[in-house]
Amino acid sequence: MVPVHAAGNALRRCARPAARRFSTVLDDNVGPVVPPAATASRSTPESKDALESACRARQPRSTWSKDEIRRIYNTPLMQLAFKSASLHRRFHDPSAVQMCTLMNIKTGGCSEDCSYCAQSSRYQKEVGLQPTKLSSVDSVLQAAQTAKDNGSTRFCMGAAWRDMRGRKTGLKNIKSMVEGVRAMDMEVCVTLGMIDQAQAEELRDAGLTAYNHNVDTSREHYPSVITTRSYNERLATLDAVRTAGVNVCSGGILGLGEKPEDHVGLIHTVSTLPSHPESFPVNALVPIKGTPMGGNKPVPFDAILRTIATARLVMPKTIIRIAAGRTTMSEEQQILCFSAGANAIFTGEKMLTTDCNGWDEDKVMFDKYGLKPMKSFERGHLREESLEEAPVDLVSGDGPTNHEASL
């Protein structure tokens, strides 16, 4: 049995990260990302030092080394998930999950050669997907209202384009979509390929909450997935979005034939940006017949859980979203992800060109496990008061359960 006072001290040591600044105007009351204060050397193994450093950090940091992230990622999974769950509860309401709905507003015909994507024109014949024109503003707003009526608080729109060059009419219509969704008091996110700062500023002025542009995988593995857009071009888009004052949403896809080291590299890329992304989508590849990766084997669940837990420890205030591939997870696996630090999902009728868990299904799961939809524009913050009032025997296992402590 661990003494109560010792357990309390251990819990508080793992629960002191301070506020940080996002890349957008939504987060204007928190401090900047700074390097951690120097700490005394310990006799514990290096992997434990990196893990405890993540728990002890008083402020989030953008100076993570790949070696530190690797040590955290390779921590025994039960210990890793416990630590990430503890830190998650310091910054987020563990019962709140952001419900996002994604609409494909322009399907197919993309000139990129992303090996996993059914919307590439290079695989159109094999996949059998017919390109469409940009959806009308009215049809998009109707879909957004349906999403809101079903409990979604964030509406995302995706267009299969390489970039926005020469698309003035398209940009004008998308700005009208953004304005209409924001008028519903919903968060709104778009993913339109590469954009420059001027285009990002136009979207910002229309009310855009976030811009999604995934880096997909590690820099090292990236060339085996995509050849028509460089890794640096992706980072340049993120920089343009951040500079324009729009939230950055950037994550990756697991199951692209990568190794665990590439999961480390993915997290290292986004956690060492000038500001951590506001949200980090974790996708599990849904292999689509006719694409070069149509025969890939499913990524093991433990790799998904490790990635979520590591991302939570390295980026404590970021929203971590279970994105594509959630239909392959059991209800129990999803709950493990929520416990370890995931706090957003895509829900609704479809995920671009793949299936999506429906609203009714998710409502049943939420009711069963005591989850609730996150409010619009709700963000993580250091829950200082709850730290001092938290039960001190969570480490020993005595006293109230985590569920009881959160009620």
Side-chain angles (χ1 to χ4, degrees), residues 97-155:
V97 176
Q98 185 186 64
M99 297 179 68
C100 313
T101 294
L102 174 61
M103 179 179 180
N104 201 349
I105 61 173
K106 189 270 177 186
T107 302
C110 180
S111 62
E112 301 277 26
D113 69 350
C114 306
S115 300
Y116 53 81
C117 187
Q119 301 200 75
S120 171
S121 59
R122 298 165 187 251
Y123 321 129
Q124 179 178 327
K125 182 178 179 180
E126 293 81 359
V127 173
L129 182 70
Q130 292 301 314
T132 66
K133 295 182 178 181
L134 184 66
S135 300
S136 69
V137 174
D138 287 344
S139 67
V140 170
L141 297 185
Q142 183 177 2
Q145 184 63 57
T146 298
K148 180 178 181 178
D149 293 343
N150 280 280
S152 294
T153 56
R154 185 163 176 149
F155 190 73

Side-chain angles (χ1 to χ4, degrees), residues 28-327:
D28 56 358
N29 294 318
V30 292
V33 176
V34 299
T39 56
S41 61
R42 293 174 176 268
S43 58
T44 52
E46 290 182 339
S47 59
K48 186 175 181 181
D49 280 350
L51 183 63
E52 293 303 325
S53 175
C55 289
R56 291 196 315 268
R58 294 194 59 81
Q59 295 183 351
R61 36 182 294 213
S62 59
T63 57
W64 289 100
S65 71
K66 189 175 289 188
D67 189 50
E68 287 176 306
I69 297 173
R70 182 184 301 112
R71 293 170 186 173
I72 294 172
Y73 183 90
N74 288 326
T75 299
L77 188 53
M78 288 291 287
Q79 182 184 8
L80 177 65
F82 173 77
K83 291 291 189 179
S84 66
S86 300
L87 187 61
H88 180 58
R89 284 152 178 76
R90 305 289 73 79
F91 284 89
H92 304 270
D93 179 348
S95 65
V97 176
Q98 185 186 64
M99 297 179 68
C100 313
T101 294
L102 174 61
M103 179 179 180
N104 201 349
I105 61 173
K106 189 270 177 186
T107 302
C110 180
S111 62
E112 301 277 26
D113 69 350
C114 306
S115 300
Y116 53 81
C117 187
Q119 301 200 75
S120 171
S121 59
R122 298 165 187 251
Y123 321 129
Q124 179 178 327
K125 182 178 179 180
E126 293 81 359
V127 173
L129 182 70
Q130 292 301 314
T132 66
K133 295 182 178 181
L134 184 66
S135 300
S136 69
V137 174
D138 287 344
S139 67
V140 170
L141 297 185
Q142 183 177 2
Q145 184 63 57
T146 298
K148 180 178 181 178
D149 293 343
N150 280 280
S152 294
T153 56
R154 185 163 176 149
F155 190 73
C156 308
M157 297 172 281
W161 287 322
R162 168 180 165 77
D163 54 44
M164 289 298 293
R165 288 181 298 179
R167 304 188 193 279
K168 292 184 179 181
T169 301
L171 182 58
K172 179 182 177 181
N173 288 338
I174 290 170
K175 286 162 57 180
S176 295
M177 297 172 190
V178 170
E179 291 169 351
V181 175
R182 281 301 303 271
M184 300 177 192
D185 195 31
M186 297 180 76
E187 298 182 29
V188 55
C189 177
V190 297
T191 179
L192 312 171
M194 293 184 287
I195 61 172
D196 58 31
Q197 185 176 332
Q199 292 163 338
E201 289 172 351
E202 287 191 59
L203 291 166
R204 175 203 65 198
D205 293 343
L208 187 68
T209 308
Y211 192 91
N212 168 259
H213 199 66
N214 291 334
V215 295
D216 284 352
T217 186
S218 70
R219 180 181 287 275
E220 292 77 12
H221 187 62
Y222 184 86
S224 66
V225 180
I226 304 160
T227 66
T228 52
R229 185 188 315 186
S230 73
Y231 209 70
N232 285 342
E233 284 179 310
R234 288 187 181 266
L235 296 180
T237 293
L238 298 183
D239 184 65
V241 169
R242 184 187 311 108
T243 303
V246 176
N247 276 319
V248 168
C249 171
S250 187
I253 306 172
L254 311 186
L256 302 178
E258 77 280 0
K259 298 177 180 178
E261 179 66 14
D262 296 304
H263 302 163
V264 172
L266 164 65
I267 296 171
H268 179 256
T269 293
V270 296
S271 67
T272 55
L273 293 171
S275 296
H276 292 170
E278 173 260 359
S279 51
F280 177 72
V282 178
N283 297 272
L285 177 69
V286 179
I288 298 174
K289 187 177 180 180
T291 64
M293 293 191 172
N296 281 29
K297 295 180 180 179
V299 62
F301 174 72
D302 64 291
I304 299 173
L305 187 61
R306 273 188 190 280
T307 300
I308 288 172
T310 303
R312 171 52 68 221
L313 286 161
V314 172
M315 300 182 290
K317 289 189 69 177
T318 293
I319 292 174
I320 298 177
R321 185 172 298 108
I322 310 175
R326 188 164 67 94
T327 54

